[in-house]
Amino acid sequence: MTKNIAVIKGDGIGPEIVTEATKVLDKVGDKFGHTFNYTQLLMGGCSIDANGVPLTEETIAACKSSDAVLMGSIGGDTTTSPWYKLPPNFRPEAGLLGIRKALGLFANLRPCHLYKELSGACPLKTEISSKGFDMLIMRELTGGLYFGERKTEEVNGVMTATDTLVYSEEEIRRIAVKAFDVAMKRRKKVISVDKVNVLDSSRLWRKVITEVAKDYPEVTLEHMLVDNCAMQLVKNPAQFDVMVTENMFGDILSDEASMITGSIGMLPSASMNETKFGLYEPSGGSAPDIAGQNKANPIATILSAAMMLRYSFDMTKEADAVESAVSKALADGCRTGDIMSEGMIRLSCSEMGDKISELI
Ligand code: IPM
Ligand code: MG
């Protein structure tokens, strides 16, 4: 099969980690007889430097005409980078939000599981981490506070800022369907996270989720308040299978969940529209402090490429091969700095990419 992949390396460690992911994809291509063509595109800070804006119509059009998008990371140091002297709409993050919206990527899948080899890197007590955990966070990605109307103005002589949290029934229903569909392929349990005791948007959220659940009698549905969820993630992470939640709750809870896996450098993500099209990127940021040093952990990006194989290209055995090569590399003691522990072999970013490619 031939697949055309739009590649956005982005800023900071983005170029290094994406290079390792395409190295692994090329190995998959050799081994399984596929051709992956890459179109390099700019987005984020590098696009600001080249084009004056974080996202161009050309980048959007090129993504739309590809089979999937592979992305590294965007953004820089918010206190020192000149990008953050620009108005908010011209900063790197505006490019990321813009591309999510332009491509209709409303469903963000963030799988979090504790590799047994990394259980020592989990900051939880052994009695909790020894039970392991394997959850999928389904974050709504194109609604809520991120996309509601916002303004900063003077009201009666006082500076006042407003952000608005809006959800329509349709927006909630389509993410709920994705969550229940994926739960059917897993352990058939959905925990929906909201703040129903305070927010109107959460009351509608809970009503629609409950309605959609009626179409999935085999799936157990539980509702959880977001503040309790933050506690439950560190108290009993094994209880989660699929978690579905709105945009900002999902942003915060997925960072918390990543921390208990040992490192955010391990977490892939997929952002999908209603078809098989998706944008695949690591859950972590651009880590400007270690950019260009060949130190970053490329595993999250490599696992994101595996999600692309699985969800956009229906290449199940190829995706399995990448995931088992990652497990094998960890079992062989290979570690990047973020997951390093005594007695293990410390590898650079490119050495980790080489190792995982060899194991495919
Ligand atoms: C993420 C990031 C982004 C978000 C930022 C960079 C805008 O934190 O993908 O989780 O908040 O969605
Ligand atoms: Mg985030």
Side-chain angles (χ1 to χ4, degrees):
M1 243 190 255
T2 298
K3 293 289 176 188
N4 298 316
I5 303 174
V7 176
I8 299 172
K9 289 189 170 177
D11 309 318
I13 58 170
E16 300 157 56
I17 54 182
V18 171
T19 301
E20 300 317 308
T22 53
K23 186 188 276 177
V24 170
L25 282 174
D26 288 337
K27 182 66 190 286
V28 168
D30 284 350
K31 178 112 193 243
F32 293 88
H34 304 301
T35 306
F36 299 116
N37 299 320
Y38 308 111
T39 307
Q40 303 292 337
L41 302 170
L42 294 181
M43 204 265 282
C46 54
S47 173
I48 298 176
D49 294 344
N51 308 311
V53 287
L55 176 64
T56 60
E57 289 302 326
E58 289 72 41
T59 292
I60 295 173
C63 288
K64 281 188 177 161
S65 63
S66 67
D67 295 311
V69 185
L70 179 66
M71 200 185 108
S73 49
I74 54 102
D77 186 318
T78 50
T79 51
T80 58
S81 163
W83 300 328
Y84 296 92
K85 303 233 160 30
L86 297 167
N89 282 351
F90 290 91
R91 293 180 193 168
E93 287 72 10
L96 182 59
L97 299 193
I99 205 164
R100 287 174 179 168
K101 197 71 168 178
L103 301 177
L105 307 173
F106 66 88
N108 180 221
L109 285 66
R110 296 187 168 182
C112 289
H113 91 267
L114 184 61
Y115 284 85
K116 63 178 185 317
E117 293 83 9
L118 294 186
S119 56
C122 172
L124 302 177
K125 283 187 186 151
T126 320
E127 67 212 57
I128 300 173
S129 63
S130 62
K131 289 195 199 121
F133 56 84
D134 178 12
M135 69 183 94
L136 180 92
I137 301 181
M138 179 72 76
R139 168 187 174 194
E140 200 293 324
L141 202 60
T142 52
L145 277 172
Y146 278 61
F147 292 94
E149 206 184 304
R150 64 178 102 256
K151 61 184 176 200
T152 305
E153 63 189 346
E154 214 175 284
V155 178
N156 302 327
V158 182
M159 285 310 286
T160 307
T162 311
D163 294 285
T164 44
L165 202 177
V166 185
Y167 270 108
S168 71
E169 264 180 278
E170 281 69 30
E171 286 173 305
I172 303 168
R173 186 164 292 111
R174 66 183 181 178
I175 189 79
V177 168
K178 283 261 183 199
F180 282 95
D181 280 347
V182 75
M184 284 299 288
K185 296 188 182 149
R186 295 176 48 104
R187 302 194 308 277
K188 299 192 171 69
K189 180 174 176 190
V190 170
I191 294 186
S192 170
V193 178
D194 62 36
K195 188 70 186 170
V196 79
N197 49 352
V198 178
L199 302 175
D200 263 38
S201 55
S202 284
R203 287 187 267 272
L204 185 62
W205 181 275
R206 199 175 272 212
K207 178 172 170 278
V208 175
I209 297 272
T210 308
E211 277 165 20
V212 172
K214 293 193 183 115
D215 296 332
Y216 298 84
E218 285 175 53
V219 179
T220 313
L221 169 66
E222 199 181 304
H223 299 284
M224 194 179 271
L225 294 175
V226 61
D227 44 355
N228 181 33
C229 181
M231 287 200 304
Q232 295 300 326
L233 273 174
V234 290
K235 195 175 161 214
N236 179 14
Q239 73 186 292
F240 294 95
D241 177 18
V242 176
M243 178 199 295
V244 61
T245 190
E246 67 92 45
N247 203 343
M248 180 164 258
F249 296 161
D251 178 45
I252 298 168
L253 294 171
S254 61
D255 264 33
E256 186 188 358
S258 79
M259 203 51 234
I260 59 173
T261 66
S263 168
I264 196 159
M266 295 297 299
L267 283 206
S269 93
S271 306
M272 320 274 307
N273 65 14
E274 51 277 284
T275 70
K276 287 187 181 298
F277 182 83
L279 179 149
Y280 298 83
E281 57 170 322
S283 293
S286 60
D289 52 320
I290 57 160
Q293 298 173 34
N294 197 18
K295 270 190 192 167
N297 185 348
I299 293 180
T301 320
I302 292 169
L303 291 173
S304 302
M307 291 183 85
M308 170 187 293
L309 296 171
R310 190 180 302 285
Y311 293 112
S312 284
F313 304 161
D314 284 321
M315 295 181 182
T316 310
K317 58 181 188 313
E318 292 84 342
D320 289 345
V322 174
E323 287 167 2
S324 55
V326 168
S327 300
K328 182 84 189 358
L330 294 172
D332 287 354
C334 298
R335 301 285 188 273
T336 41
D338 56 325
I339 48 174
M340 185 61 194
S341 61
E342 221 186 301
M344 299 294 133
I345 311 153
R346 192 188 191 109
L347 299 187
S348 67
C349 178
S350 57
E351 286 167 339
M352 185 60 100
D354 289 338
K355 176 78 188 175
I356 293 167
S357 302
E358 273 164 32
L359 290 167
I360 287 174

